[in-house]
Amino acid sequence: MINLDFYTIFWREMLEIRKKLWRFIASGLVMPALYLITFGWGLGRGMRVGGGTYLEFVLPGIIALSAMNNSFSGVAVSLNISKLYSKTIEELLVSPISPYSIALGKVFAGCVRGLFSSMLLLLLGLILNVQIHITAMFFAILILTTFIFASFGVIAAMVTKSHEDMTNFNSFFILPMSFLSGTFFSPSGLPEPFSSLIMVYPLTHASLSLRAISQGQPVSAVSLLILCLYALAFFYLAVRAIKNLEI
Amino acid sequence: MIQLNELTKRFADIVAVDRVSLEVKASEVFGLLGPNGAGKTTTIRVLTTLCKPTSGTAFVGGHNVLSEPIAVKNLIGIAPQAINLESDLTVRENLEFHGRLHRMTRADRDKRIKELIEFIGLVEKQNSPVEHLSGGMKRRLLIARALMHRPKVLFLDEPTVGLDPQVRRKTWEMIRELKTKGITIFLTTHYIEEAENLCDRVGIMRKGRIIALGSPMALKKNIGETIIECREDNGYGYKFFKTRDEAIRYAEGIDCDVIIRESNLEDVFIKLTGERISD
Ligand SMILES: Nc1ncnc2c1ncn2[C@@H]1O[C@H](COP(=O)(O)OP(=O)(O)OP(=O)(O)O)[C@@H](O)[C@H]1O
Ligand SMILES: [Mg+2]
């Protein structure tokens, strides 16, 4: 029998999204819109990268970025609150649902949040008539990206012991990744050791792959493999973190 | 139904629960009575699989909490001390979520939700978000949620803390009604009357240890059923007597203002520790 327990957790998250739909849409739009304005029109106006406009260059990166941010913080923040303050996580921990199902439900909900905001951006791009190619692979990469960072969000929420810890987690992992992962520029131009180091970041592979697709080029198999490995590893660690949680 | 053998739980530098052994029979109401920090909540957390014992064993319904947590989770319902309802969700949604977590069918959930919101008297509030409820309503909803999946064993951690006397009495009635349905109830409290009025047996806990265990009646008999409080220069002195006659005879022989009354569980605590439970 297929275990559908994860759906209970997912259902609860969707209930919350439905209740706060407008706030959810608005907050999902603010940051990407700011990035688009700053880097697309402000900084990059008239600039041309690799034959296209800077906006065409930067949009896939910003989509990856916003997929990451929304899936990560959508999971990490609420789970952290539920662990540290509202204690609602105890309701899950004393139910017969397994850590695996809890993780899967939370991660899928994070995927929805991440995908939703990247879809909004994509829509924004279409409205602005940004010329990019979209294929099924584009969406597959996006799903993979949100899965990775939603899992990362579970891990972050489980291992941090305070709200400050969470802020640190953001400044040491998420923020550097946001700026260095080839979201706004091509990482190949960076000097060593940075250019190699950056290839460790999963977001780099997400933005590179999305950009390749958007320019009608094939996705690097290595990037795809790395993303899959990250997804598996992070999800595994997320389940473990819930299993080992003692509060 | 519940069995603790030399259960110990240690946090970094404190022993929160110290070699506690006790047994609770099916459909008994058992109460842990003790001051703040006695280790009551920690004991419940071990029994409800939230916290691993440092040493010793704990069984619920014959299942070891450490090695068979799922079997234990299926048997128990918990109303924790810290109110952990989903405050964005409504009364109904909170119960529905709990029912789903316990894999109840839709029809069964709907039926049970109807029963429970009547039981706790929140029919009018069923579609209000929990954040709009009063403290007493939240406590009652917490108990209803714990009952949603029809557990055999119910853990109530300070079920009436912060409630006014009237609502407290109503909650006691609820708990008594549950007992008649054969549910085993394990509760904690630092209210003397709650332990005396509600519990078949009481464990008095202090600094992680159970210092007395038995029915409220037996515990009181042990120290003497009648008490003389005698005003002294520095507060009150207590004397314990087996019978009222003995107490009266003693009171006639001394020269100070006295109060003669029946003993209560607070006196048991004072006799054993020299301290009061409250304040
Ligand atoms: N997670 C924890 N980490 C460290 N110490 C803890 C933890 N939980 C409880 N303690 C300590 O264990 C002791 C027992 O706490 P517990 O909450 O079990 O007491 P209690 O009897 O429920 O008290 P109260 O009446 O205040 O609820 C206290 O000294 C408390 O500080
Ligand atoms: Mg407590």
Side-chain angles (χ1 to χ4, degrees):
Chain A
M1 204 185 84
I2 308 166
N3 185 335
L4 291 177
D5 285 344
F6 78 89
Y7 180 73
T8 298
I9 308 290
F10 183 74
W11 169 85
R12 142 92 189 72
E13 299 292 317
M14 291 307 107
L15 197 60
E16 183 168 327
I17 290 183
R18 244 177 303 162
K19 278 178 196 272
K20 302 179 183 166
L21 191 61
W22 288 110
R23 210 188 313 170
F24 175 64
I25 293 177
S27 72
L29 266 177
V30 174
M31 211 175 66
L34 284 177
Y35 279 134
L36 266 184
I37 294 167
T38 318
F39 297 103
W41 288 329
L43 197 66
R45 192 173 38 201
M47 193 159 93
R48 298 196 69 81
V49 186
T53 64
Y54 184 64
L55 201 53
E56 282 160 14
F57 175 84
V58 85
L59 185 63
I62 295 178
I63 287 176
L65 177 62
S66 126
M68 167 179 89
N69 270 322
N70 283 285
S71 54
F72 175 79
S73 49
V75 171
V77 173
S78 72
L79 205 51
N80 208 40
I81 289 173
S82 109
K83 180 181 96 169
L84 295 175
Y85 305 106
S86 73
K87 304 284 178 198
T88 46
I89 195 167
E90 291 182 10
E91 165 78 347
L92 309 183
L93 296 178
V94 296
S95 78
I97 286 192
S98 67
Y100 162 81
S101 299
I102 297 175
L104 198 61
K106 291 283 180 193
V107 167
F108 279 168
C111 290
V112 169
R113 288 169 188 272
L115 286 172
F116 186 82
S117 67
S118 28
M119 290 306 131
L120 283 178
L121 263 171
L122 208 51
L123 204 68
L124 217 61
L126 286 179
I127 294 169
L128 296 175
N129 199 23
V130 182
Q131 299 291 318
I132 58 174
H133 284 267
I134 309 286
T135 62
M137 193 56 165
F138 193 89
F139 293 105
I141 300 277
L142 266 183
I143 292 171
L144 211 48
T145 308
T146 54
F147 190 91
I148 290 171
F149 288 106
S151 302
F152 196 47
V154 174
I155 300 171
M158 291 300 110
V159 302
T160 51
K161 300 223 176 328
S162 67
H163 191 68
E164 291 77 62
D165 268 4
M166 192 46 120
T167 316
N168 289 337
F169 214 92
N170 252 312
S171 9
F172 287 119
F173 292 101
I174 299 298
L175 202 60
M177 202 155 19
S178 309
F179 283 95
L180 298 179
S181 297
T183 32
F184 304 114
F185 57 86
S186 167
S188 57
L190 277 182
E192 287 291 346
F194 295 105
S195 65
S196 306
L197 197 68
I198 281 167
M199 293 316 266
V200 175
Y201 285 148
L203 187 63
T204 309
H205 297 280
S207 359
L208 290 182
S209 306
L210 291 182
R211 183 163 299 134
I213 297 169
S214 75
Q215 295 170 346
Q217 289 156 13
V219 175
S220 133
V222 176
S223 285
L224 199 57
L225 184 70
I226 289 177
L227 287 176
C228 289
L229 288 178
Y230 264 113
L232 283 176
F234 279 7
F235 184 70
Y236 171 76
L237 291 175
V239 175
R240 272 252 316 242
I242 294 178
K243 204 175 274 172
N244 294 336
L245 181 66
E246 240 198 67
I247 38 174
Chain B
M1 204 57 155
I2 299 173
Q3 208 181 350
L4 301 179
N5 305 312
E6 295 281 304
L7 181 77
T8 301
K9 176 67 190 184
R10 207 186 291 270
F11 294 108
D13 49 350
I14 32 174
V15 187
V17 178
D18 191 6
R19 287 163 288 149
V20 166
S21 298
L22 58 86
E23 200 170 328
V24 179
K25 290 190 268 308
S27 63
E28 193 174 24
V29 178
F30 181 85
L32 271 185
L33 173 69
N36 290 134
K40 307 181 295 291
T41 297
T42 307
T43 306
I44 286 204
R45 291 174 70 83
V46 171
L47 281 168
T48 55
T49 74
L50 280 172
C51 198
K52 294 188 178 69
T54 309
S55 65
T57 51
F59 293 86
V60 177
H63 303 289
N64 189 319
V65 294
L66 200 56
S67 56
E68 305 163 87
I70 302 288
V72 172
K73 288 171 183 180
N74 277 321
L75 279 178
I76 63 176
I78 304 137
Q81 182 172 0
I83 295 178
N84 68 343
L85 299 162
E86 303 270 0
S87 53
D88 298 331
L89 305 191
T90 66
V91 170
R92 274 195 83 87
E93 285 164 346
N94 265 277
L95 294 173
E96 177 173 1
F97 182 44
H98 186 91
R100 284 174 183 256
L101 284 172
H102 284 265
R103 308 180 183 118
M104 294 166 74
T105 63
R106 173 189 289 262
D108 194 24
R109 284 197 311 256
D110 288 347
K111 177 167 162 268
R112 188 68 176 151
I113 289 174
K114 190 162 181 297
E115 280 169 20
L116 285 171
I117 53 181
E118 276 167 20
F119 182 59
I120 60 172
L122 285 185
V123 178
E124 268 107 73
K125 295 275 181 189
Q126 57 177 302
N127 292 317
S128 308
V130 163
E131 54 192 347
H132 295 171
L133 301 184
S134 74
M137 293 174 181
K138 284 183 194 163
R139 283 267 164 226
R140 274 181 284 158
L141 177 56
L142 208 56
I143 298 178
R145 187 184 68 179
L147 290 168
M148 180 72 190
H149 59 289
R150 303 185 184 84
K152 298 253 182 337
V153 184
L154 183 63
F155 291 92
L156 304 172
D157 197 355
E158 313 263 358
T160 66
V161 74
L163 302 187
D164 65 48
Q166 199 190 341
V167 181
R168 170 168 306 150
R169 257 166 227 294
K170 249 172 114 174
T171 310
W172 288 354
E173 272 163 38
M174 264 173 62
I175 295 172
R176 285 202 195 94
E177 200 177 324
L178 294 172
K179 178 182 159 63
T180 64
K181 290 177 181 154
I183 297 177
T184 308
I185 296 171
F186 188 108
L187 62 84
T188 76
T189 182
H190 55 258
Y191 296 120
I192 313 298
E193 331 85 79
E194 187 154 291
E196 286 193 18
N197 276 313
L198 221 49
C199 301
D200 300 317
R201 281 190 316 126
V202 173
I204 299 185
M205 199 168 190
R206 176 175 176 267
K207 295 187 177 160
R209 303 265 331 160
I210 297 279
I211 55 174
L213 188 65
S215 70
M217 209 48 188
L219 290 174
K220 287 187 281 185
K221 263 218 171 77
N222 247 335
I223 58 158
E225 279 176 77
T226 308
I227 296 248
I228 289 186
E229 275 182 41
C230 175
R231 198 191 298 272
E232 290 168 349
D233 296 338
N234 49 354
Y236 284 90
Y238 294 89
K239 283 242 174 319
F240 301 84
F241 298 92
K242 283 242 143 42
T243 64
R244 199 173 171 86
D245 290 345
E246 263 179 61
I248 291 172
R249 237 174 288 135
Y250 176 85
E252 283 164 350
I254 57 167
D255 181 30
C256 78
D257 289 342
V258 296
I259 299 167
I260 302 180
R261 58 170 175 82
E262 284 180 17
S263 61
N264 60 34
L265 288 178
E266 171 110 57
D267 301 317
V268 176
F269 193 79
I270 291 171
K271 171 114 185 200
L272 290 172
T273 67
E275 298 162 9
R276 294 183 144 267
I277 290 185
S278 34
D279 70 52

